[in-house]
Amino acid sequence: MSIQILPARLANQIAAGEVVERPASVVKELVENSLDAGASKIVVDIEKGGAKRIRISDNGCGIRKEELTLALSRHATSKIKDLTDLEAIASLGFRGEALASISSVARLTMTSKPENQESAWQAYAQGRDMEVTIQPAAHPNGTTIEVNDLFFNTPARRKFLRTEKTEFSHIDEVIRRIALARFDVSFVLTHNGKMIRSYRAAANMDQNAKRVGQVCGQKFIENALTIDCQHEGLHLWGWIAKPEFYRAQNDLCYSYVNGRMMRDKLINHGIRQAYAELIPSDGYPAFVLYLELDHKEVDVNVHPAKHEVRFHQGRYVHDFIYSVCHQALQSDLAQMQQSIAEDSYGTVTEVQYQNQEYIKPLQRVAEPSSSHAFSSPKRDNQSSGLAAAAASYQSLMSTPKPSVEALKGNAQSSLAEKPTSKILYVVEPHFAVIVLDGALKLVDLLPIAEHVNTQLIEQRWQQGLVSQPLLLPIVVGLDEAKVTWLNQHVDLIEQAGMTIQIRTGNKVQVRQFPALLREKDVASCLVQVLELIESNTSEESQLSVFKHSLAKVMSEQQYSLESANYLWHQAQNVLLEQLNDLCHLNSSEIDLTSALAQLKKAQLQ
Amino acid sequence: MITPVENIPASEQALIEKAQSLAGLSLGEIAQQANITVPKNLNRDKGWPGLLLEYTLGATAGSKPEPDFPELGIELKTIPINRQGKPLETTFVSVAPLTGMVGSNWQNSHVKNKLSRVLWVPIVAERDIPIPERIVATPFLWSPSPEEENLLACDWQELTDMIVLGEVENINGRHGQVMQLRPKAANSKAKTDAFDKHGRPFKTLPRGFYLKIPFTQMLIAKHLRIG
């Protein structure tokens, strides 16, 4: 099997499958072409339901001799030039497929004479590659297209054709639909030489209404309400039938968007909703409606036959159609009943809040002193000591340790851009092997961490440490000295982002805790800080003692290579030159003499 | 039961202080203070914890279309969570009107209105904890950030468009990133008016907007220290 380019005729036949379904679709495409050509008079002659002959003559602008050839080839059109045109299509057609498709499944001849061309020319395509032949002809200004023997070369399609009568009724429907779209154009439809429809061009609303009567029946127009409403770029006008005039079929549903006939769900939904319960649920409303809006607000390039469109603001359009139709129906109803009908749907109605019966109102306790209301033992934090409280909340607060995981990402990303870390190895729990001034040294990470944390606290102290409310407040039992200290330094603990309430019996309730300590257990953390302050005997102010203690408690006690690297990176940013001094103070040189000696000895042997 | 006047908070600050003073207390303790009976189970009293807190904190609106604290413009939402701070269920926001939605938009929607300022009251309420022993966690005040509001507005728009265009029967819990539309009814017999996809009126279950669990979980994690 080799891959080949399809012959032109075959390619067009494939395209024809989408566009040319039956004679009526040929009529639709060709009449739309005539309208796009600016015709004011269109004559459609049908023979044998369109299977034998479809001839459409118009008085439009015509096609020049040089362009006749192009007109019959696929993807050739005068209607759009570039993508920008596609964004806002004003013409009915634009795909440039219709003529080529039709001529690939029928014998098509096209005769045309533009006004400024002296004589008419006729073109037809034939053969595998659909070469176009041109010859002189006689024709008034405009174009006539004759389509003979539709589907003569595609027997499969031919089999789908129904009786002459059925096919003609489809054509009739197309003409009726189009006639409603263009009141300013006169249409004549004949079948087997007999005049079936003749719509004269209408120039005013009365004549328009007359044409609607011709197309939809006099009864429709007698029962119709006129609609005309403009709102923020949308214009809806036309006729909708009173609810009494509902139909058993959807045979009088004519909607147009910018002059294009539609069978659009969104539009029909809005209209049907306006009728709500005014018509039975199996009934259909009758309407002829025209929606006009900016071409840019609507996308017609959805379906080859263009029955559906996409609105850029679908719901807005929907609601607009609904509101206009609804108002018209309601005001008609009101007039009829000589009373103002309750507008149950028009404006945004109050949401109905149902009586939520399944939520019972609260009930008072029968006897005010019922302490036995709780059958289960009372939760009692007050009596349990610190250990118990800590343990019970430990279980509440048990979360996988996110610290290292969180650090990992940070550490790795920052290390990638700053490969200056000197940490070679971590000796548990908190010592690291580094290269410092060309020598191998073992450094204690704890003092470094404490300095970093002190710096972090100092930086944030002025505006107060960021505080985090706890999911559940924690009650901690303390000894009296610690409670007293807390009582005396309310301003300090507040500045540190702690919210602590002192309860009776030397208990405190912690509600908020500094975000910097989010990796630590709240209860033990608090106790540690307070113990550190107690044991401090230096002359320092309570403020700096408090900060130092916090920093100490913040510091990790155990390091992996990763967390050590992260700390190192932090230290470089926060401590700057101070880091070097700190390292000197807190490290000892690793003496490799004996190790070297051993290796040398091994070599000698 | 009518909320006593002395319970009604005078300011946002008073409300949040009152609410936070409840943190750590059990429902039993709160009910005892308020002199209210604790139901044996919540099968028939689903909204009881919410009502208890509304009562205690002085909310007055109930399920009326105004905020629970009308003077403060604050909505009260209790939310059952597990011990790790994860919500146990989706959170009801408001009834979704299925008719009369013409011209409605996010800005004038009930959902936006209800969520503009919320006092969240998480309650540790795992199934195995008896009702009186369920503990109120730390309440916090929240207004949607621009990103959060955008997520909510997108979901609201999509769901509302579907309702208006008669797709209400096709909406399931998977629609919406942070908010979903679900039937809301005590039983499946209560039906309300709606429009089908042809625009014809029909009866269907009343629907409500619910916040999905990951969204409320994110809110709790953002505002509270868990663990």
Coordinates of all heavy atoms in Angstrom, one line a residue, chain A residues 269 272-273 276-277 281 315 318-319 322-323 348 351 353 356 358-360 362-365 374 376-377 379 396-397 468-473 509 511 517-518 520 522, chain B residues 20 23-24 28 34-37 44-45 48 51 55 63 83 100 102-104 110 133 137-138 161 164-166 184 186 195-201 223-225 227:
Chain A
H269 N -33.3 26.7 23.6 CA -33.5 26.5 25.0 C -34.0 27.7 25.7 O -35.0 27.7 26.5 CB -32.1 26.1 25.6 CG -32.2 25.6 27.1 ND1 -32.2 26.5 28.1 CD2 -32.3 24.4 27.6 CE1 -32.3 25.8 29.2 NE2 -32.4 24.5 28.9
R272 N -37.7 28.2 24.7 CA -38.6 27.2 25.3 C -38.8 27.5 26.8 O -39.9 27.4 27.3 CB -38.1 25.8 25.1 CG -38.9 24.7 25.8 CD -40.3 24.6 25.1 NE -41.1 23.6 25.8 CZ -41.9 23.9 26.9 NH1 -41.8 25.1 27.5 NH2 -42.6 23.0 27.5
Q273 N -37.7 27.9 27.4 CA -37.7 28.2 28.8 C -38.7 29.4 29.1 O -39.4 29.4 30.1 CB -36.3 28.6 29.3 CG -36.2 28.6 30.8 CD -34.8 28.8 31.3 OE1 -33.9 28.3 30.7 NE2 -34.7 29.4 32.4
A276 N -42.0 28.1 29.5 CA -42.1 27.4 30.8 C -43.4 26.5 30.8 O -43.5 25.6 29.9 CB -42.1 28.3 32.0
E277 N -44.3 26.7 31.7 CA -45.4 25.9 31.8 C -46.6 26.4 31.0 O -47.7 25.8 31.2 CB -45.8 25.7 33.3 CG -45.2 24.5 33.9 CD -44.5 24.8 35.2 OE1 -44.6 25.9 35.7 OE2 -43.9 23.9 35.8
S281 N -45.7 20.0 28.1 CA -44.3 19.6 28.0 C -44.0 18.9 26.7 O -42.8 18.9 26.2 CB -43.9 18.7 29.1 OG -44.4 17.4 29.0
R315 N -24.1 32.3 27.7 CA -25.2 32.4 28.7 C -25.8 33.8 28.7 O -27.0 33.9 28.9 CB -24.6 32.2 30.1 CG -25.4 31.0 30.8 CD -25.2 31.0 32.3 NE -25.9 32.1 32.9 CZ -25.5 32.7 34.0 NH1 -24.3 32.4 34.5 NH2 -26.2 33.6 34.6
H318 N -28.2 33.6 25.9 CA -29.3 32.8 26.3 C -30.2 33.6 27.2 O -31.5 33.6 27.0 CB -28.7 31.6 27.0 CG -29.8 30.7 27.6 ND1 -30.2 31.0 28.9 CD2 -30.5 29.7 27.2 CE1 -31.2 30.1 29.2 NE2 -31.3 29.3 28.2
D319 N -29.7 34.2 28.2 CA -30.5 34.9 29.2 C -31.2 36.1 28.5 O -32.4 36.4 28.9 CB -29.6 35.4 30.3 CG -29.2 34.3 31.2 OD1 -29.6 33.2 30.9 OD2 -28.4 34.5 32.2
Y322 N -34.1 34.7 26.5 CA -35.1 34.2 27.5 C -35.9 35.4 28.0 O -37.1 35.5 28.0 CB -34.5 33.5 28.6 CG -35.4 33.4 29.8 CD1 -36.4 32.4 29.9 CD2 -35.3 34.2 30.9 CE1 -37.3 32.3 30.9 CE2 -36.1 34.1 32.0 CZ -37.1 33.2 32.0 OH -38.0 33.1 33.1
S323 N -35.2 36.4 28.5 CA -35.8 37.6 29.1 C -36.8 38.3 28.2 O -37.9 38.6 28.5 CB -34.8 38.6 29.6 OG -33.8 38.0 30.4
V348 N -35.0 38.0 38.9 CA -34.3 37.0 39.7 C -35.2 36.7 40.9 O -35.3 37.6 41.8 CB -32.9 37.4 40.1 CG1 -32.2 36.3 41.0 CG2 -32.1 37.7 38.9
V351 N -34.4 32.9 46.2 CA -34.2 31.5 46.3 C -35.1 31.0 47.4 O -35.2 31.6 48.4 CB -32.7 31.3 46.7 CG1 -32.4 29.8 46.7 CG2 -31.8 32.1 45.8
Y353 N -35.7 29.0 50.4 CA -35.0 28.3 51.4 C -36.0 27.4 52.1 O -37.0 27.9 52.7 CB -34.4 29.3 52.4 CG -33.2 29.9 51.8 CD1 -33.2 31.0 50.9 CD2 -31.9 29.3 52.1 CE1 -32.1 31.4 50.3 CE2 -30.8 29.8 51.5 CZ -30.9 30.8 50.6 OH -29.7 31.3 50.0
Q356 N -35.5 23.5 56.9 CA -34.7 22.3 57.0 C -35.1 21.5 58.2 O -34.6 21.7 59.3 CB -33.2 22.8 57.2 CG -32.7 23.4 55.9 CD -31.5 24.1 56.1 OE1 -31.3 24.9 57.0 NE2 -30.5 23.9 55.2
Y358 N -34.8 18.6 59.0 CA -33.9 17.5 59.5 C -32.9 18.1 60.5 O -32.2 17.4 61.2 CB -33.2 16.7 58.5 CG -32.5 17.5 57.5 CD1 -31.1 17.7 57.6 CD2 -33.2 18.1 56.4 CE1 -30.4 18.5 56.7 CE2 -32.5 18.9 55.5 CZ -31.1 19.0 55.6 OH -30.5 19.8 54.7
I359 N -32.8 19.4 60.6 CA -32.0 20.0 61.6 C -33.0 20.5 62.7 O -33.7 21.4 62.6 CB -31.2 21.2 61.1 CG1 -30.2 20.7 60.1 CG2 -30.5 21.9 62.3 CD1 -29.3 21.8 59.6
K360 N -33.0 19.8 63.8 CA -33.9 20.1 64.9 C -33.4 21.4 65.6 O -32.2 21.6 65.7 CB -34.0 19.0 65.9 CG -34.9 17.8 65.5 CD -35.1 17.0 66.7 CE -35.3 15.5 66.3 NZ -34.9 14.7 67.4
L362 N -32.3 23.6 68.7 CA -31.7 23.2 70.0 C -32.7 23.0 71.1 O -33.7 23.7 71.1 CB -30.7 24.2 70.4 CG -29.5 24.5 69.4 CD1 -28.7 25.7 69.8 CD2 -28.6 23.3 69.3
Q363 N -32.4 22.1 72.0 CA -33.4 21.9 73.1 C -32.7 22.2 74.4 O -31.6 21.8 74.7 CB -33.9 20.5 73.0 CG -35.0 20.3 72.0 CD -35.2 18.9 71.5 OE1 -34.7 18.0 72.1 NE2 -35.9 18.8 70.4
R364 N -33.5 22.9 75.2 CA -33.0 23.2 76.6 C -32.9 21.9 77.4 O -33.6 20.9 77.2 CB -34.0 24.0 77.3 CG -33.9 25.5 76.9 CD -33.3 26.3 78.1 NE -33.1 27.6 77.7 CZ -31.9 28.2 77.7 NH1 -30.9 27.6 78.1 NH2 -31.8 29.5 77.3
V365 N -31.9 21.9 78.2 CA -31.8 20.8 79.2 C -33.0 20.8 80.1 O -33.4 21.9 80.6 CB -30.5 20.9 80.0 CG1 -30.4 19.8 81.0 CG2 -29.3 20.9 79.0
F374 N -23.7 13.8 80.5 CA -22.6 13.1 79.8 C -22.5 11.7 80.4 O -22.1 11.6 81.5 CB -21.3 13.8 79.9 CG -21.4 15.3 79.6 CD1 -21.3 16.2 80.6 CD2 -21.7 15.7 78.4 CE1 -21.5 17.6 80.4 CE2 -21.9 17.1 78.1 CZ -21.7 18.0 79.1
S376 N -20.5 9.4 79.2 CA -19.1 9.0 79.1 C -18.2 9.8 80.0 O -18.6 11.0 80.3 CB -18.6 9.1 77.6 OG -19.1 10.3 77.1
P377 N -17.1 9.3 80.4 CA -16.2 10.1 81.3 C -15.8 11.4 80.7 O -15.5 11.5 79.6 CB -15.0 9.1 81.5 CG -15.1 8.2 80.4 CD -16.5 8.0 80.0
R379 N -13.7 14.5 79.7 CA -12.3 14.7 79.3 C -11.7 15.6 80.3 O -12.3 16.6 80.7 CB -12.3 15.5 77.9 CG -11.1 15.5 77.2 CD -11.3 16.2 75.9 NE -11.9 17.5 76.1 CZ -11.1 18.6 76.2 NH1 -9.8 18.5 76.0 NH2 -11.7 19.8 76.4
L396 N -2.4 13.6 69.0 CA -3.2 14.5 68.2 C -2.4 15.2 67.1 O -2.8 15.4 66.0 CB -3.8 15.6 69.1 CG -5.0 15.3 69.9 CD1 -5.5 16.6 70.6 CD2 -6.1 14.7 69.1
M397 N -1.1 15.5 67.5 CA -0.3 16.3 66.6 C 0.6 15.4 65.7 O 1.5 16.0 65.1 CB 0.5 17.2 67.4 CG -0.3 18.1 68.2 SD -1.3 19.1 67.2 CE -2.4 19.8 68.4
Q468 N 1.3 31.4 64.6 CA 0.4 30.5 63.9 C -0.6 30.0 65.0 O -0.2 29.5 66.0 CB 1.2 29.3 63.5 CG 1.6 29.3 62.0 CD 2.2 28.0 61.6 OE1 3.0 27.5 62.3 NE2 1.9 27.6 60.4
P469 N -1.9 30.1 64.7 CA -2.8 29.5 65.7 C -2.7 28.0 65.6 O -2.5 27.4 64.5 CB -4.2 30.0 65.1 CG -3.9 31.0 64.1 CD -2.5 30.7 63.6
L470 N -2.8 27.3 66.7 CA -2.8 25.9 66.7 C -4.2 25.3 66.3 O -5.2 25.9 66.6 CB -2.5 25.4 68.1 CG -1.2 25.9 68.8 CD1 -0.9 25.2 70.1 CD2 0.0 25.8 67.9
L471 N -4.2 24.2 65.6 CA -5.4 23.6 65.3 C -6.2 23.4 66.6 O -7.4 23.7 66.6 CB -5.2 22.3 64.6 CG -6.4 21.4 64.2 CD1 -7.2 22.2 63.2 CD2 -6.0 20.1 63.7
L472 N -5.6 22.8 67.6 CA -6.2 22.6 68.9 C -5.3 23.3 69.9 O -4.1 23.1 69.9 CB -6.3 21.1 69.2 CG -7.4 20.4 68.4 CD1 -7.3 18.9 68.7 CD2 -8.8 20.9 68.9
P473 N -5.9 24.1 70.8 CA -5.1 24.7 71.9 C -4.5 23.6 72.8 O -5.1 22.5 72.9 CB -6.1 25.5 72.6 CG -7.3 25.6 71.8 CD -7.3 24.4 70.9
Q509 N -2.7 27.5 78.8 CA -3.3 27.1 77.5 C -2.5 27.8 76.4 O -2.6 29.1 76.3 CB -4.8 27.3 77.4 CG -5.4 26.6 76.3 CD -6.8 27.2 75.9 OE1 -6.9 28.4 75.9 NE2 -7.7 26.3 75.6
R511 N -2.4 28.8 72.6 CA -3.3 28.9 71.4 C -2.5 29.2 70.1 O -2.9 28.8 69.1 CB -4.3 30.0 71.6 CG -5.3 29.7 72.7 CD -6.7 29.9 72.3 NE -7.5 30.3 73.4 CZ -7.8 31.5 73.8 NH1 -7.5 32.5 73.0 NH2 -8.5 31.7 74.8
L517 N 8.9 27.9 65.0 CA 9.1 26.7 65.7 C 8.1 25.6 65.3 O 7.7 24.8 66.0 CB 8.8 27.0 67.2 CG 10.0 27.7 68.0 CD1 9.5 28.3 69.3 CD2 11.1 26.8 68.2
R518 N 7.7 25.7 64.0 CA 6.6 24.9 63.6 C 7.0 23.4 63.5 O 6.1 22.5 63.5 CB 6.0 25.3 62.2 CG 6.9 25.0 61.0 CD 6.1 25.2 59.7 NE 5.8 26.7 59.5 CZ 6.7 27.5 58.9 NH1 7.9 27.1 58.5 NH2 6.4 28.7 58.7
K520 N 8.6 21.9 65.8 CA 8.8 21.4 67.2 C 7.5 21.0 67.9 O 6.5 21.6 67.6 CB 9.6 22.4 68.0 CG 10.9 22.9 67.4 CD 11.9 21.8 67.6 CE 13.2 22.3 66.9 NZ 14.2 21.3 66.8
V522 N 5.0 21.6 70.6 CA 4.7 22.9 71.3 C 4.9 22.8 72.8 O 5.7 23.6 73.4 CB 3.2 23.3 71.0 CG1 2.9 24.5 71.9 CG2 3.0 23.5 69.6
Chain B
Q20 N -12.5 32.1 69.7 CA -11.2 31.4 70.1 C -11.2 30.9 71.5 O -10.5 30.0 71.9 CB -10.0 32.3 69.7 CG -9.9 32.4 68.2 CD -8.6 33.2 67.8 OE1 -8.1 33.9 68.6 NE2 -8.2 33.0 66.5
A23 N -11.9 27.3 71.7 CA -11.0 26.4 71.2 C -10.5 25.4 72.3 O -10.2 25.9 73.4 CB -9.8 27.1 70.6
G24 N -10.5 24.2 72.1 CA -10.1 23.2 73.0 C -11.2 22.7 73.9 O -11.0 21.7 74.6
G28 N -19.6 18.9 74.6 CA -20.4 18.7 75.8 C -20.2 19.8 76.8 O -21.2 20.3 77.4
A34 N -24.2 26.3 77.9 CA -25.4 26.9 77.3 C -26.6 26.3 77.8 O -27.7 26.7 77.4 CB -25.3 26.8 75.8
N35 N -26.5 25.3 78.6 CA -27.7 24.6 79.1 C -28.5 24.0 78.0 O -29.7 24.2 77.9 CB -28.5 25.7 79.9 CG -29.2 25.0 81.1 OD1 -28.9 23.9 81.3 ND2 -30.0 25.8 81.8
I36 N -27.8 23.2 77.2 CA -28.5 22.6 76.1 C -28.2 21.1 76.0 O -27.1 20.6 76.4 CB -28.0 23.2 74.8 CG1 -28.7 24.6 74.6 CG2 -28.3 22.4 73.5 CD1 -28.1 25.5 73.5
T37 N -29.2 20.3 75.7 CA -29.1 18.9 75.7 C -28.2 18.4 74.5 O -28.5 18.9 73.4 CB -30.4 18.2 75.6 OG1 -31.4 18.9 76.3 CG2 -30.4 16.7 76.1
R44 N -30.4 12.2 63.3 CA -31.6 13.0 63.0 C -31.3 14.5 63.4 O -32.2 15.3 63.3 CB -32.7 12.5 63.9 CG -33.1 11.0 63.6 CD -34.3 10.6 64.4 NE -35.4 11.4 64.1 CZ -36.2 11.3 63.1 NH1 -36.0 10.3 62.2 NH2 -37.3 12.1 62.9
D45 N -30.1 14.8 63.8 CA -29.7 16.1 64.2 C -28.4 16.6 63.5 O -27.5 17.0 64.2 CB -29.5 16.2 65.7 CG -30.9 16.2 66.4 OD1 -31.7 17.0 66.0 OD2 -31.0 15.5 67.5
W48 N -26.7 19.8 64.4 CA -26.7 20.2 65.8 C -25.4 21.0 66.2 O -25.5 22.0 66.8 CB -26.9 19.0 66.7 CG -27.0 19.4 68.1 CD1 -28.1 19.9 68.8 CD2 -25.9 19.3 69.1 NE1 -27.7 20.2 70.1 CE2 -26.4 19.8 70.3 CE3 -24.6 18.9 69.0 CZ2 -25.6 19.9 71.4 CZ3 -23.8 19.0 70.1 CH2 -24.3 19.5 71.3
L51 N -25.6 24.4 65.0 CA -26.6 25.2 65.7 C -26.1 25.6 67.1 O -26.3 26.7 67.5 CB -27.9 24.4 65.8 CG -28.8 24.3 64.6 CD1 -30.1 23.6 64.9 CD2 -29.0 25.6 63.9
Y55 N -25.6 29.4 68.3 CA -26.3 29.9 69.5 C -25.3 30.5 70.4 O -25.4 31.6 70.9 CB -27.0 28.7 70.1 CG -27.6 29.0 71.5 CD1 -28.8 29.7 71.6 CD2 -26.9 28.7 72.6 CE1 -29.3 30.1 72.8 CE2 -27.5 29.0 73.9 CZ -28.7 29.7 74.0 OH -29.2 30.0 75.2
S63 N -30.7 29.8 58.5 CA -30.5 29.5 57.1 C -31.1 30.5 56.2 O -31.3 30.3 55.1 CB -31.0 28.1 56.8 OG -32.4 28.0 57.1
R83 N -8.2 14.2 63.3 CA -7.1 14.7 64.3 C -6.0 15.4 63.5 O -5.2 16.1 64.1 CB -6.6 13.6 65.1 CG -7.7 13.0 66.1 CD -7.1 11.9 66.9 NE -8.1 11.5 67.9 CZ -9.0 10.5 67.8 NH1 -9.0 9.8 66.6 NH2 -9.8 10.1 68.7
G100 N -34.9 31.1 37.6 CA -34.7 32.5 37.9 C -33.3 33.0 38.0 O -32.9 33.8 38.8
V102 N -31.7 34.2 35.5 CA -31.4 35.2 34.4 C -30.6 36.4 34.9 O -31.0 37.0 35.9 CB -32.7 35.6 33.7 CG1 -32.4 36.7 32.7 CG2 -33.3 34.4 33.1
G103 N -29.5 36.6 34.2 CA -28.7 37.8 34.6 C -27.9 37.7 35.8 O -27.2 38.6 36.2
S104 N -27.9 36.5 36.4 CA -27.1 36.3 37.6 C -25.6 36.2 37.2 O -25.3 35.6 36.2 CB -27.5 35.1 38.4 OG -27.4 34.0 37.6
H110 N -25.2 34.2 45.4 CA -25.3 33.9 46.9 C -23.9 33.3 47.4 O -23.5 33.5 48.5 CB -26.4 32.8 47.1 CG -27.7 33.4 47.1 ND1 -28.2 34.2 48.0 CD2 -28.7 33.3 46.1 CE1 -29.4 34.6 47.7 NE2 -29.8 34.1 46.6
E133 N -17.8 14.6 73.4 CA -16.3 14.7 73.6 C -15.6 15.3 72.3 O -14.4 15.4 72.3 CB -15.7 13.3 73.9 CG -16.1 12.9 75.3 CD -15.8 11.4 75.5 OE1 -14.7 11.0 75.1 OE2 -16.6 10.7 76.1
A137 N -11.8 23.0 67.6 CA -10.4 23.4 67.3 C -10.4 25.0 67.2 O -11.5 25.6 67.3 CB -9.9 22.8 66.0
T138 N -9.3 25.5 66.8 CA -9.2 27.0 66.8 C -9.9 27.6 65.6 O -9.7 27.3 64.5 CB -7.7 27.4 66.7 OG1 -7.0 26.8 67.8 CG2 -7.6 28.9 66.8
D161 N -23.7 28.0 34.4 CA -24.0 27.9 33.0 C -24.7 26.6 32.6 O -25.6 26.5 31.9 CB -22.7 28.0 32.1 CG -22.2 29.4 32.1 OD1 -22.8 30.3 32.7 OD2 -21.1 29.7 31.4
V164 N -28.3 26.7 33.8 CA -29.1 27.6 33.0 C -29.4 26.9 31.7 O -30.5 27.1 31.2 CB -28.5 29.0 32.8 CG1 -29.2 29.8 31.8 CG2 -28.4 29.7 34.2
L165 N -28.5 26.2 31.1 CA -28.7 25.6 29.8 C -29.3 24.3 29.9 O -29.2 23.5 29.0 CB -27.3 25.6 29.1 CG -26.7 27.0 28.8 CD1 -25.5 26.9 28.0 CD2 -27.7 27.9 28.1
G166 N -29.8 23.9 31.1 CA -30.6 22.7 31.2 C -29.8 21.4 31.4 O -30.3 20.4 31.1
K184 N -29.3 18.2 47.4 CA -29.4 18.6 48.8 C -30.8 18.4 49.2 O -31.7 19.2 48.8 CB -28.9 20.0 49.1 CG -29.2 20.4 50.5 CD -28.8 21.9 50.7 CE -29.2 22.3 52.1 NZ -28.6 21.5 53.2
A186 N -33.4 16.3 52.3 CA -33.6 15.3 53.4 C -33.9 14.0 52.9 O -33.5 12.9 53.4 CB -34.6 15.8 54.4
F195 N -35.2 23.5 34.7 CA -35.5 23.4 33.2 C -34.6 22.4 32.6 O -33.4 22.2 33.0 CB -35.2 24.8 32.6 CG -36.2 25.8 32.9 CD1 -35.9 26.8 33.9 CD2 -37.4 25.8 32.3 CE1 -36.8 27.8 34.2 CE2 -38.4 26.8 32.7 CZ -38.1 27.7 33.6
D196 N -35.1 21.6 31.7 CA -34.3 20.5 31.1 C -33.6 21.1 29.9 O -33.6 22.3 29.6 CB -35.2 19.3 30.7 CG -36.2 19.6 29.6 OD1 -36.1 20.7 29.0 OD2 -37.0 18.7 29.2
K197 N -33.0 20.2 29.1 CA -32.1 20.7 28.1 C -32.8 21.2 26.9 O -32.2 21.8 26.0 CB -31.1 19.6 27.7 CG -31.6 18.4 27.0 CD -30.4 17.5 26.6 CE -30.9 16.3 25.8 NZ -31.6 15.3 26.7
H198 N -34.1 21.0 26.8 CA -34.9 21.7 25.8 C -35.6 23.0 26.3 O -36.3 23.6 25.5 CB -36.0 20.7 25.3 CG -35.4 19.4 24.8 ND1 -34.7 19.3 23.7 CD2 -35.5 18.2 25.3 CE1 -34.3 18.0 23.5 NE2 -34.8 17.3 24.5
G199 N -35.3 23.3 27.5 CA -35.9 24.5 28.1 C -37.3 24.3 28.7 O -38.0 25.2 29.0
R200 N -37.7 23.0 28.8 CA -39.0 22.7 29.4 C -38.9 22.6 30.9 O -37.9 22.0 31.4 CB -39.5 21.4 28.8 CG -39.8 21.5 27.3 CD -40.3 20.2 26.8 NE -39.4 19.1 27.0 CZ -39.3 18.0 26.2 NH1 -40.0 17.9 25.1 NH2 -38.4 17.1 26.5
P201 N -39.9 23.0 31.6 CA -39.8 22.9 33.1 C -39.9 21.4 33.5 O -40.6 20.6 32.8 CB -41.0 23.7 33.6 CG -41.8 24.0 32.4 CD -41.1 23.7 31.2
H223 N -4.1 28.3 57.6 CA -4.4 29.2 58.8 C -4.0 28.7 60.1 O -3.9 29.4 61.1 CB -5.8 29.6 58.8 CG -6.2 30.6 57.7 ND1 -6.5 30.2 56.4 CD2 -6.2 32.0 57.6 CE1 -6.7 31.2 55.6 NE2 -6.5 32.3 56.4
L224 N -3.9 27.4 60.2 CA -3.6 26.8 61.5 C -2.4 25.9 61.4 O -2.0 25.3 60.4 CB -4.8 25.9 61.9 CG -6.1 26.6 62.1 CD1 -7.2 25.6 62.6 CD2 -6.0 27.7 63.1
R225 N -1.8 25.8 62.6 CA -0.6 24.9 62.7 C -1.1 23.5 63.1 O -1.8 23.3 64.1 CB 0.3 25.4 63.8 CG 1.5 24.5 64.1 CD 2.2 25.0 65.2 NE 2.9 23.9 65.8 CZ 4.1 23.8 66.3 NH1 4.8 24.9 66.3 NH2 4.6 22.8 66.8
G227 N -0.3 19.9 64.0 CA 0.8 19.0 64.6 C 1.9 19.9 65.1 O 1.9 21.1 65.1

